[in-house]
Amino acid sequence: MKITSTSCICPVLVCLCFVQRCYGTAHHSSIKVTRNQTKHIEGETEVHHRPKRGWVWNQFFVLEEHMGPDPQYVGKLHSNSDKGDGSVKYILTGEGAGTIFIIDDTTGDIHSTKSLDREQKTHYVLHAQAIDRRTNKPLEPESEFIIKVQDINDNAPKFTDGPYIVTVPEMSDMGTSVLQVTATDADDPTYGNSARVVYSILQGQPYFSVDPKTGVIRTALHNMDREAREHYSVVIQAKDMAGQVGGLSGSTTVNITLTDVNDNPPRFPQKHYQLYVPESAQVGSAVGKIKANDADTGSNADMTYSIINGDGIGIFSISTDKETREGILSLKKPLNYEKKKSYTLTIEGANTHLDFRFSHLGPFKDATMLKIIVGDVDEPPLFSMPSYVMEVYENAKIGTVVGTVLAQDPDSANSLVRYFIDYSAEDDRCFNIDANTGTIRTTKVLDREETPWYNITVAASENDNPGLLSHVTVGIRVLDVNDNPPELAREYDIVVCENSKPGQVIHTISAIDRDDFANGPRFNFFLDERLSVNPNFTLKDNEDNTASILTRRRRFSRTIQDVYYLPIMISDGGIPSLSSSSTLTVRVCACERDGRVRTCHAEAFLSSAGLSTGALIAILLCVVILLAIVVLFITLRRSKKEPLIISEEDVRENVVTYDDEGGGEEDTEAFDITALRNPSAAEELKYRRDIRPEVKLTPRHQTLSTLESIDVQEFIKQKLVEADLDPSVPPYDSLQTYAYEGQRSEAGSISSLDSATTQSDQDYHYLGDWGPEFKKLAELYGEIESERTT
């Protein structure tokens, strides 16, 4: 089968059609599809024969953007089996088959029904097959072919990144690269010149140029000055078809800004300036400003100012304001119109960031002349000194002259000056001042020990202008006189031991003086000569403002005298000397061998009770031992083992222990003990202990007479015999306990029962000889004895 392409009909594309036909003839010659054997169809025997040509076809092309009313003819399919009788049917499948591309199944003509866009899809892959119309059997195997969309120049170049903003330094050399722009064309770059772009400049000449092929923008002039023109708008055009007539074009804008370099030195607008400064200007204050202009910007316009010459270099200073780039003129020293009325300064402004490429344009500094006129101002009076220090003795009479201050009018008028002391509300007004002469006097008697220093403020004003004031500080030192006698430094607690030796130092004392050092130490200590010699103590001056107290005799006794008094005298070193007297109190105390005080007054209280220290310790020791014995006894009683548990069937007599004490004689009222006195009365109460008894108790008043006639010993023997002969008792011995003391006791009964009715021959008068500690006990037993005797 052959595929035949058609000629182009559109007159506008005659050239393209010619290229297409030539291209198809030269490059797309018929492709022979050969095979070694044919396909076995419907059971026919497979015959091996020489391969013959089946499909013969060309590659198809179709123009994009076809706008004609009829479908565009693409090409023709033809099979060798087609005899022209219509028995062969052509079928087309693949991309766009039936929608974009249709085929005449009888003739094999292929048409395109839609306008195609190569920029969306460049080619289509389809499959062609020829079948027998009657049998629907394939006459040839299916074959694949391609329909390419042929490009036309339907897309203009585009700058995808525009518009552009770029900078370039001013004063750059000609040909300095600024920016490279790139335009893109969606047409096929491999076919014709549809995508071949060239660049040109539409706006921005003669300052800039563009490379037609690369799109690089460059400067076209030397020394482009930012101060002359800073911003440029350059329009660049890109045109396809290599720039030929009929090509499509696109453009973009490039905004170019010249950046600053330091190519301009600073310049003062004037060469001479004049500044008025009043003489009352404060030191350190700003008195004026000056500025040099610099056409550059940013750091290239930074500058510093300095005073390079003039007679006011020591009076004025200049600094630079970095924000405003101004020179700030300040006052270093006070001005005085009466002394100097004008100053001249030479001020220089210089760039701080230099670019040596442009040093030939320098120098990058400038200077100007500044004349400063000092203005006359009515000034307040001026004191002769910045501050005054005066002295006056304490206790001086009221009106004593302390000193004089002096102030004058610094102006040429030389007005009279008046003085006064500037007191605050809470100040103690101890001084006054003469308004005309400035003499300061006391108004009170001063005491150095109370206030040693005074600070006052003196103000001065002109008579003609009282509102102008000046102030000065006056310090007044109060000088000391010897008006305070010395005294002991503190209250001393002096102790002397009973076992002291003669000449022993028992204490060291010192003194103080409220006066100044010159009228105070050195202190002298001595005993009052008007008194008789003290036989117990003496005083030794150590000549270092201290004195030592020494004993004169051996041993002291608290029982004889426990406190001594020692009068002493103290004098200072002032002129005239002052002295004072004091009395020291010395206590007598008991001390250890190493001199430590053991006791002073506390032991005297114990001695009055008749007990020494050793006796007191012995008594305390006895009390501790008694307490220990009591605690041990209680502990032993609590830890005593309990008896074994007795069975409930054991009806023998059990011993029940109660941990409480008896009530003494009061126990006679608690229970009836007549049974112990006469056990024979128990016969009527006899019952077995191993069974529940059924006994009727007789009244108590019926048995009292019987119990008194029976002996307890006989009763016990009788009970023992009964227990041995009674077969009903348990077959084991049991211990029967009775509160019976027995007979033949030489000591007699120790029981407290009925003790209140017995008489005692004990004599307790000897307790009165035991001392005051047993006085209460002797009185108690004395009363008992007296009651018994009575």
Side-chain angles (χ1 to χ4, degrees):
M1 177 168 21
K2 295 182 179 178
I3 300 176
T4 307
S5 61
T6 182
S7 300
C8 186
I9 300 176
C10 182
V12 179
L13 302 177
V14 172
C15 181
L16 294 177
C17 294
F18 176 78
V19 173
Q20 173 189 352
R21 186 176 298 279
C22 295
Y23 183 82
T25 304
H27 299 283
H28 299 283
S29 58
S30 298
I31 300 175
K32 298 179 180 180
V33 180
T34 60
R35 61 178 183 265
N36 293 328
Q37 55 185 354
T38 59
K39 185 177 180 182
H40 183 75
I41 302 175
E42 290 186 354
E44 294 183 1
T45 59
E46 183 178 348
V47 181
H48 293 272
H49 54 80
R50 180 180 177 183
K52 63 179 181 179
R53 182 171 61 187
W55 291 89
V56 179
W57 53 282
N58 292 329
Q59 189 177 30
F60 288 148
F61 292 90
V62 59
L63 289 175
E64 67 170 336
E65 305 293 345
H66 177 68
M67 304 300 294
D70 298 328
Q72 182 181 4
Y73 182 72
V74 178
K76 184 180 182 65
L77 296 179
H78 183 73
S79 175
N80 294 335
S81 301
D82 188 0
K83 305 300 183 180
D85 54 359
S87 61
V88 177
K89 181 181 180 179
Y90 296 96
I91 298 174
L92 185 66
T93 61
E95 296 178 337
T99 56
I100 300 176
F101 303 103
I102 58 175
I103 188 171
D104 188 329
D105 60 354
T106 302
T107 62
D109 292 332
I110 302 174
H111 291 80
S112 173
T113 61
K114 296 182 179 180
S115 176
L116 304 180
D117 188 356
R118 189 202 69 84
E119 286 71 38
Q120 294 183 356
K121 191 171 180 64
T122 59
H123 65 278
Y124 297 85
V125 179
L126 295 97
H127 299 83
Q129 190 174 25
I131 62 174
D132 190 328
R133 191 182 295 274
R134 293 187 299 275
T135 61
N136 286 330
K137 300 291 181 66
L139 300 176
E140 297 288 346
E142 185 180 82
S143 181
E144 181 182 281
F145 66 96
I146 298 174
I147 298 178
K148 284 192 172 183
V149 182
Q150 196 167 21
D151 182 50
I152 63 173
N153 190 17
D154 60 340
N155 291 280
K158 294 182 180 180
F159 293 93
T160 58
D161 297 332
Y164 301 88
I165 299 176
V166 68
T167 60
V168 62
E170 66 171 333
M171 308 300 290
S172 298
D173 295 335
M174 185 176 66
T176 301
S177 176
V178 179
L179 177 69
Q180 182 178 12
V181 295
T182 302
T184 58
D185 196 317
D187 292 327
D188 188 359
T190 63
Y191 180 74
N193 293 325
S194 298
R196 185 178 176 185
V197 179
V198 294
Y199 300 93
S200 61
I201 184 168
L202 300 181
Q203 177 183 321
Q205 295 175 332
Y207 307 105
F208 300 94
S209 63
V210 64
D211 189 295
K213 295 182 179 180
T214 62
V216 175
I217 301 173
R218 303 179 185 275
T219 58
L221 294 179
H222 288 284
N223 301 329
M224 297 177 66
D225 191 1
R226 184 197 66 84
E227 288 72 33
R229 182 177 178 182
E230 185 176 3
H231 301 287
Y232 296 86
S233 181
V234 179
V235 178
I236 303 296
Q237 183 189 66
K239 190 173 184 181
D240 59 11
M241 297 298 292
Q244 298 176 5
V245 178
L248 303 179
S249 64
S251 62
T252 187
T253 300
V254 181
N255 295 312
I256 301 175
T257 301
L258 298 182
T259 57
D260 184 59
V261 296
N262 192 8
D263 59 339
N264 293 280
R267 291 289 181 264
F268 286 101
Q270 300 174 213
K271 290 298 181 183
H272 294 87
Y273 290 89
Q274 186 170 309
L275 179 65
Y276 173 83
V277 180
E279 63 174 337
S280 59
Q282 297 295 320
V283 174
S285 62
V287 296
K289 297 180 181 179
I290 192 170
K291 184 177 182 180
N293 298 326
D294 193 323
D296 296 323
T297 60
S299 61
N300 295 318
D302 290 344
M303 67 185 73
T304 58
Y305 296 90
S306 59
I307 301 175
I308 60 177
N309 201 359
D311 56 357
I313 294 180
I315 306 299
F316 299 92
S317 64
I318 192 168
S319 60
T320 304
D321 188 333
K322 294 183 179 179
E323 297 293 332
T324 61
R325 297 189 176 94
E326 294 177 328
I328 309 300
L329 193 66
S330 301
L331 187 63
K332 292 174 61 178
K333 295 181 179 180
L335 301 176
N336 193 330
Y337 173 81
E338 287 72 25
K339 292 183 179 181
K340 190 172 180 62
K341 296 179 173 57
S342 65
Y343 296 90
T344 301
L345 301 175
T346 300
I347 298 176
E348 179 184 78
N351 281 138
T352 56
H353 305 286
L354 300 180
D355 192 338
F356 295 101
R357 295 178 301 171
F358 309 105
S359 58
H360 60 282
L361 302 176
F364 285 82
K365 58 184 178 180
D366 195 18
T368 188
M369 188 76 67
L370 176 62
K371 184 177 182 180
I372 298 175
I373 305 299
V374 179
D376 187 19
V377 178
D378 191 3
E379 300 174 275
L382 182 65
F383 283 96
S384 59
M385 297 176 63
S387 62
Y388 294 85
V389 176
M390 302 177 182
E391 295 178 344
V392 62
Y393 280 100
E394 65 174 331
N395 301 329
K397 296 181 179 180
I398 297 175
T400 300
V401 175
V402 179
T404 302
V405 296
L406 178 62
Q408 293 180 344
D409 183 9
D411 298 324
S412 56
N414 196 16
S415 301
L416 294 178
V417 177
R418 294 184 62 83
Y419 305 92
F420 61 93
I421 297 176
D422 188 6
Y423 281 114
S424 59
E426 63 276 5
D427 286 344
D428 188 9
R429 304 190 177 190
C430 300
F431 306 93
N432 61 12
I433 188 170
D434 189 297
N436 297 318
T437 63
T439 301
I440 300 174
R441 301 175 183 270
T442 61
T443 60
K444 294 182 179 181
V445 176
L446 306 179
D447 186 0
R448 189 202 68 85
E449 288 72 35
E450 181 179 350
T451 306
W453 185 276
Y454 292 89
N455 288 315
I456 62 175
T457 301
V458 176
S461 64
E462 298 179 7
N463 287 343
D464 299 337
N465 191 355
L468 289 177
L469 297 176
S470 60
H471 299 80
V472 69
T473 301
V474 178
I476 300 176
R477 180 187 296 110
V478 181
L479 301 177
D480 184 53
V481 296
N482 192 16
D483 58 345
N484 291 282
E487 57 188 17
L488 290 175
R490 58 185 176 86
E491 292 289 337
Y492 290 97
D493 183 17
I494 304 175
V495 174
V496 61
C497 295
E498 289 182 319
N499 55 358
S500 297
K501 299 177 181 180
Q504 181 178 344
V505 177
I506 62 173
H507 208 87
T508 301
I509 60 175
S510 61
I512 57 174
D513 195 323
R514 296 179 61 197
D515 291 325
D516 197 7
F517 185 82
N519 293 316
R522 142 175 132 77
F523 299 119
N524 295 317
F525 299 86
F526 53 92
L527 297 177
D528 192 351
E529 298 178 351
R530 294 172 297 178
L531 301 177
S532 59
V533 178
N534 192 312
N536 302 309
F537 304 97
T538 186
L539 187 67
K540 177 186 177 183
D541 191 341
N542 297 326
E543 298 183 356
D544 59 355
N545 297 325
T546 65
S548 299
I549 301 174
L550 294 81
T551 58
R552 281 182 176 271
R553 64 185 180 85
R554 181 186 304 274
R555 293 194 175 277
F556 293 84
S557 176
R558 290 173 295 161
T559 58
I560 299 176
Q561 185 175 349
D562 58 348
V563 176
Y564 292 89
Y565 298 98
L566 179 63
I568 63 171
M569 301 291 292
I570 308 173
S571 64
D572 58 20
I575 301 175
S577 177
L578 296 180
S579 62
S580 65
S581 62
S582 299
T583 301
L584 299 176
T585 301
V586 182
R587 295 187 300 130
V588 181
C589 296
C591 302
E592 302 291 347
R593 292 184 178 180
D594 56 359
R596 291 181 300 165
V597 176
R598 185 172 68 237
T599 180
C600 291
H601 296 294
E603 188 170 329
F605 172 78
L606 294 176
S607 299
S608 63
L611 291 178
S612 63
T613 304
L616 181 62
I617 296 176
I619 293 173
L620 294 177
L621 184 60
C622 291
V623 172
V624 172
I625 294 175
L626 290 175
L627 290 176
I629 293 174
V630 172
V631 172
L632 180 61
F633 177 74
I634 295 174
T635 304
L636 292 177
R637 291 192 61 184
R638 289 184 177 181
S639 61
K640 184 175 65 175
K641 295 184 178 179
E642 296 293 336
L644 297 176
I645 300 175
I646 301 175
S647 176
E648 294 181 356
E649 288 78 8
D650 190 357
V651 296
R652 291 176 300 164
E653 183 178 4
N654 298 326
V655 179
V656 180
T657 303
Y658 298 93
D659 293 330
D660 57 354
E661 296 180 359
E665 287 77 3
E666 297 178 359
D667 283 346
T668 57
E669 305 293 336
F671 60 91
D672 190 2
I673 62 173
T674 55
L676 296 179
R677 295 176 180 174
N678 195 357
S680 61
E683 287 293 331
E684 299 180 4
L685 305 178
K686 178 179 177 182
Y687 59 89
R688 294 182 58 179
R689 295 180 178 269
D690 56 343
I691 60 176
R692 181 180 296 273
E694 296 181 359
V695 179
K696 295 182 180 180
L697 299 178
T698 61
R700 180 178 178 184
H701 67 276
Q702 296 177 1
T703 59
L704 289 177
S705 60
T706 306
L707 293 175
E708 293 177 356
S709 62
I710 300 176
D711 186 15
V712 176
Q713 184 177 10
E714 294 296 331
F715 173 74
I716 294 176
K717 292 181 179 180
Q718 182 181 354
K719 299 301 292 184
L720 180 59
V721 172
E722 290 178 0
D724 292 337
L725 299 178
D726 190 354
S728 62
V729 300
Y732 48 81
D733 294 334
S734 61
L735 177 62
Q736 305 294 332
T737 303
Y738 299 93
Y740 175 66
E741 297 180 358
Q743 299 176 355
R744 304 174 65 86
S745 174
E746 297 178 357
S749 176
I750 61 173
S751 174
S752 62
L753 302 178
D754 294 330
S755 60
T757 60
T758 61
Q759 300 295 328
S760 176
D761 297 333
Q762 182 70 37
D763 185 8
Y764 298 103
H765 292 290
Y766 64 89
L767 294 178
D769 300 331
W770 285 10
E773 291 83 355
F774 298 92
K775 181 178 180 181
K776 185 65 177 177
L777 186 60
E779 293 176 356
L780 179 61
Y781 278 89
E783 293 177 0
I784 295 175
E785 187 67 25
S786 175
E787 290 177 359
R788 289 181 178 179
T789 305
T790 303

